[in-house]
Amino acid sequence: MATTNTSQPKLSKDFLWGFATASFQIEGSTDVGGRGKSIWDDFSRTPGKTMDGRNGDVATDSFNLWREDLDLLVSYGVKSYRFSLSWSRIIPLGGRDDPVSEEGIKFYNDLIDALLERGITPFVTLYHWDLPQALHDRYLGWLNKDEIVADYVHYSRVCFERFGDRVKHWLTMNEPWCISVLGYGRGVFAPGRSSDRMRSSEGDSSTEPWIAGHSVILSHAYAVKAYREEFKAKQGGQIGITLNGDWAMPYDDSPENIAAAQHALDVAIGWFADPIYLGNYPPYMKQMLGDRLPTFTEEELKVVKASSDFYGMNTYTTNLCKAGGEDEFQGRTEYTFTRPDGTQLGPQAHCAWLQDYPEGFRELLNYLYNRYHMPIYVTENGFAVKDEHSMSLEQALKDEPRVQYYRGVTQGLIDAVQKDGVDVRAYFAWSLLDNFEWADGYVTRFGVTYVDYDTQKRYPKDSAKFVSKWFQEHVEGNEVAPTVTEEVPSASASAKPVTGKRASTTQANGASKRQSVNKGAANGKTVPKKTWKSPIARVTTYISTFLGL
């Protein structure tokens, strides 16, 4: 047994792994604690905007249950937790001349302190789609470059000043393609602007997405500039952006379909990655859009290029690409999961855009590393089991399709690192919890933890145990944390919720506590014993959490 373990391929001891969430998807309490409105508040309350007609007012109630969520993370033995800050909880009206909410600052200070006390590295996203409504009302948000860049950089500075002594991993933006295309092109995400008048009374899908995307790139770049010039030397953190983008495969080996796959990658990924890592927009986008694609000034380009310390990668699936079609958001290519022989690329998820094809995960890692030559942080990756929302609890906890998905991508991850030489430094599964899945409402479930939305009780799924066990076995020096499946009674068998008395770790609230933990855990290293639980105490915590004792 020992020989088998030592011969297993391993990831570096500094490799960060864990689970990810986003503020609007889990926090709820949208009018509590000084929070102002975000663009998703009224949008999700508007009839017809979400699949089930539900909104984010409660979500998973993590504004109130965050300590239970952290105990859940401890039970999974994670090294890191990726979460996002709510801009409108920190600056309710959003702008550079608007007041900062000390209640909002305290909420995130308490969360960060408690993570570090538990030996978990915070990995913080500054913006995950929830623009303060006041900024949209004032000047149309991302459509006003000069105003939004100034306000976003100010917001970022506030976060660096208040949290950067302990946060050493920053993401500026989550998925700019989704911000731009889904919010200002297709109109299915807030603020819901589109040329489709059946969907929106205002918007221009031919111009606004490209304008919004340009503003997002510049906001990111100038926030990074501020961090590097004003904070990095003292705080010692890393900062970057995370981009969505799925692997694109030619439908067949015809030259036109090979070109189509590259065009799809240019628009899905290169739109944002090329300026940031290579210095300008992809030539294909310039050709496709002409003068509808905004241009950078020489000064702006100097700030944009090399404005990310790593490549943040959000990916879920693979698309087969055919030449043709007028959809500019897909590079004027057609996407399909059906091969020429009529077979499907892989098992179908609940959402129509996702099938399980793990080979594409490894291919994309290689493509990104060879094209951009940056270390990769996989910041989102996951699977929604078909019809999980209508299953019994017992059925939902035995989520074999999701386990199979993670089995495939983790094999692709270790192969990319060990066999292909790709520099991958982190992996965050999406998501820690079933949650508010944007336009899908609560119908689509991506969580490794089942949430009963009526009671807000949490139940670990088999996928949580698989992911935890895999990383504990494949990360060097991870022997401190026992595996969930070995140390904890089967959640599937007992269906015990993670509720009731919390684990014995306590909340860290004061500045003195922050000073004692801001080094070490924040860098993925062992925290001084006075603030970190011993292995025996951690085992007790795991068992208590899973049994609800």
Side-chain angles (χ1 to χ4, degrees):
M1 182 67 73
T3 304
T4 302
N5 288 339
T6 56
S7 66
Q8 280 186 339
K10 295 280 188 176
L11 300 167
S12 163
K13 62 181 174 59
D14 297 322
F15 190 92
L16 292 176
W17 71 273
F19 301 99
T21 60
S23 54
F24 191 80
Q25 293 185 264
I26 67 167
E27 284 181 3
S29 297
T30 52
D31 59 353
V32 174
R35 181 186 179 279
K37 277 188 179 181
S38 84
I39 55 173
W40 270 95
D41 289 7
D42 288 346
F43 183 81
S44 66
R45 295 175 190 136
T46 303
K49 297 301 184 184
T50 63
M51 192 179 295
D52 56 1
R54 300 173 70 186
N55 56 53
D57 288 359
V58 177
T60 66
D61 197 24
S62 290
F63 182 77
N64 295 307
L65 300 179
W66 63 269
R67 295 176 187 83
E68 283 83 349
D69 292 344
L70 298 201
D71 290 341
L72 186 64
L73 288 167
V74 170
S75 77
Y76 293 160
V78 305
K79 290 183 70 172
S80 187
Y81 176 45
R82 181 193 164 207
F83 63 97
S84 76
L85 307 176
S86 167
W87 187 344
S88 57
R89 199 177 289 286
I90 292 171
I91 307 176
L93 297 178
R96 52 198 181 275
D97 297 320
D98 294 319
V100 172
S101 168
E102 293 302 325
E103 291 179 271
I105 294 291
K106 182 181 185 303
F107 172 72
Y108 291 116
N109 266 332
D110 291 347
L111 176 64
I112 291 164
D113 288 345
L115 279 167
L116 292 172
E117 185 182 45
R118 289 158 168 79
I120 298 172
T121 299
F123 207 107
V124 177
T125 308
L126 289 166
Y127 184 79
H128 199 127
W129 305 351
D130 49 351
L131 184 76
Q133 181 68 45
L135 301 188
H136 180 77
D137 294 341
R138 282 179 201 171
Y139 53 75
L140 293 181
W142 298 110
L143 297 179
N144 188 322
K145 180 185 78 171
D146 293 338
E147 291 292 330
I148 194 64
V149 170
D151 282 343
Y152 178 80
V153 172
H154 170 73
Y155 159 65
S156 300
R157 253 195 205 97
V158 169
C159 295
F160 301 149
E161 289 169 352
R162 299 301 193 97
F163 312 126
D165 59 323
R166 289 150 291 144
V167 173
K168 307 305 175 185
H169 300 275
W170 293 101
L171 293 170
T172 53
M173 302 282 181
N174 180 80
E175 301 187 346
W177 187 95
C178 293
I179 296 169
S180 309
V181 170
L182 303 184
Y184 296 87
R186 303 205 194 283
V188 294
F189 280 8
R193 295 175 66 88
S194 173
S195 293
D196 182 352
R197 291 295 170 255
M198 296 292 290
R199 183 167 285 157
S200 174
S201 62
E202 50 192 6
D204 183 347
S205 301
S206 70
T207 59
E208 290 188 2
W210 319 113
I211 294 169
H214 198 70
S215 297
V216 168
I217 292 172
L218 288 168
S219 297
H220 147 79
Y222 278 94
V224 171
K225 183 176 186 287
Y227 182 77
R228 288 174 174 171
E229 291 178 353
E230 302 170 36
F231 300 94
K232 185 177 176 68
K234 182 177 181 180
Q235 296 179 355
Q238 287 190 315
I239 188 167
I241 192 168
T242 195
L243 309 178
N244 61 293
D246 297 319
W247 182 232
M249 288 173 54
Y251 180 71
D252 54 29
D253 59 2
S254 65
E256 59 268 27
N257 288 337
I258 291 172
Q262 184 59 54
H263 295 162
L265 290 169
D266 286 343
V267 178
I269 293 173
W271 176 6
F272 301 97
D274 278 21
I276 290 168
Y277 300 108
L278 303 181
N280 222 319
Y281 285 123
Y284 175 72
M285 286 192 67
K286 296 179 181 180
Q287 171 194 331
M288 180 178 75
L289 297 173
D291 60 8
R292 287 184 290 135
L293 183 65
T295 57
F296 298 104
T297 67
E298 192 172 324
E299 178 189 342
E300 288 171 342
L301 211 49
K302 289 178 182 176
V303 178
V304 169
K305 188 177 181 181
S307 60
S308 188
D309 295 334
F310 50 83
Y311 188 102
M313 170 181 160
N314 285 6
T315 191
Y316 288 84
T317 193
T318 294
N319 292 297
L320 293 168
C321 298
K322 295 180 181 179
E326 295 301 316
D327 191 341
E328 293 177 337
F329 306 139
Q330 295 179 182
R332 290 181 177 163
T333 67
E334 295 181 7
Y335 288 175
T336 183
F337 289 132
T338 305
R339 296 185 180 91
D341 65 4
T343 61
Q344 293 297 290
L345 199 60
Q348 180 63 49
H350 186 76
C351 31
W353 54 266
L354 173 54
Q355 286 192 358
D356 179 2
Y357 184 73
E359 294 89 341
F361 181 78
R362 181 178 176 185
E363 292 287 348
L364 183 58
L365 284 171
N366 276 272
Y367 172 84
L368 296 174
Y369 190 59
N370 292 328
R371 183 175 178 88
Y372 301 115
H373 307 290
M374 297 296 290
I376 296 173
Y377 290 74
V378 181
T379 45
E380 266 187 48
N381 180 242
F383 190 78
V385 175
K386 191 170 179 59
D387 298 325
E388 190 173 89
H389 69 291
S390 60
M391 295 179 183
S392 69
L393 175 61
E394 293 293 333
Q395 289 174 314
L397 297 185
K398 298 174 182 176
D399 57 340
E400 181 55 33
R402 186 176 288 109
V403 171
Q404 185 64 23
Y405 180 91
Y406 284 125
R407 185 177 289 115
V409 295
T410 50
Q411 186 62 53
L413 170 65
I414 201 76
D415 286 344
V417 172
Q418 295 289 342
K419 297 179 180 179
D420 307 333
V422 179
D423 184 3
V424 187
R425 300 186 183 181
Y427 179 92
F428 293 91
W430 185 269
S431 174
L432 172 65
L433 304 166
D434 291 332
N435 54 48
F436 176 77
E437 190 50 42
W438 307 110
D440 284 12
Y442 298 89
V443 175
T444 301
R445 291 174 175 261
F446 272 93
V448 299
T449 309
Y450 184 92
V451 176
D452 181 329
Y453 295 120
D454 293 327
T455 66
Q456 293 297 341
K457 291 180 179 179
R458 279 81 156 129
Y459 301 82
K461 302 177 189 177
D462 286 352
S463 57
K465 291 180 276 186
F466 173 83
V467 172
S468 296
K469 184 174 188 291
W470 193 92
F471 281 100
Q472 288 160 16
E473 290 177 347
H474 289 85
V475 175
E476 291 283 359
N478 216 26
E479 64 278 357
V480 169
T483 65
V484 175
T485 50
E486 291 176 352
E487 298 296 331
V488 185
S490 169
S492 295
S494 61
K496 288 278 188 177
V498 182
T499 54
K501 182 180 178 181
R502 291 192 293 271
S504 58
T505 50
T506 57
Q507 179 187 1
N509 288 311
S512 60
K513 179 71 74 175
R514 281 178 227 141
Q515 295 304 316
S516 70
V517 300
N518 70 354
K519 296 179 180 178
N523 294 310
K525 300 176 182 177
T526 302
V527 183
K529 287 186 178 180
K530 65 180 179 179
T531 61
W532 196 65
K533 296 182 73 62
S534 69
I536 294 175
R538 284 171 69 93
V539 172
T540 303
T541 300
Y542 297 170
I543 296 172
S544 298
T545 303
F546 270 77
L547 294 180
L549 299 177

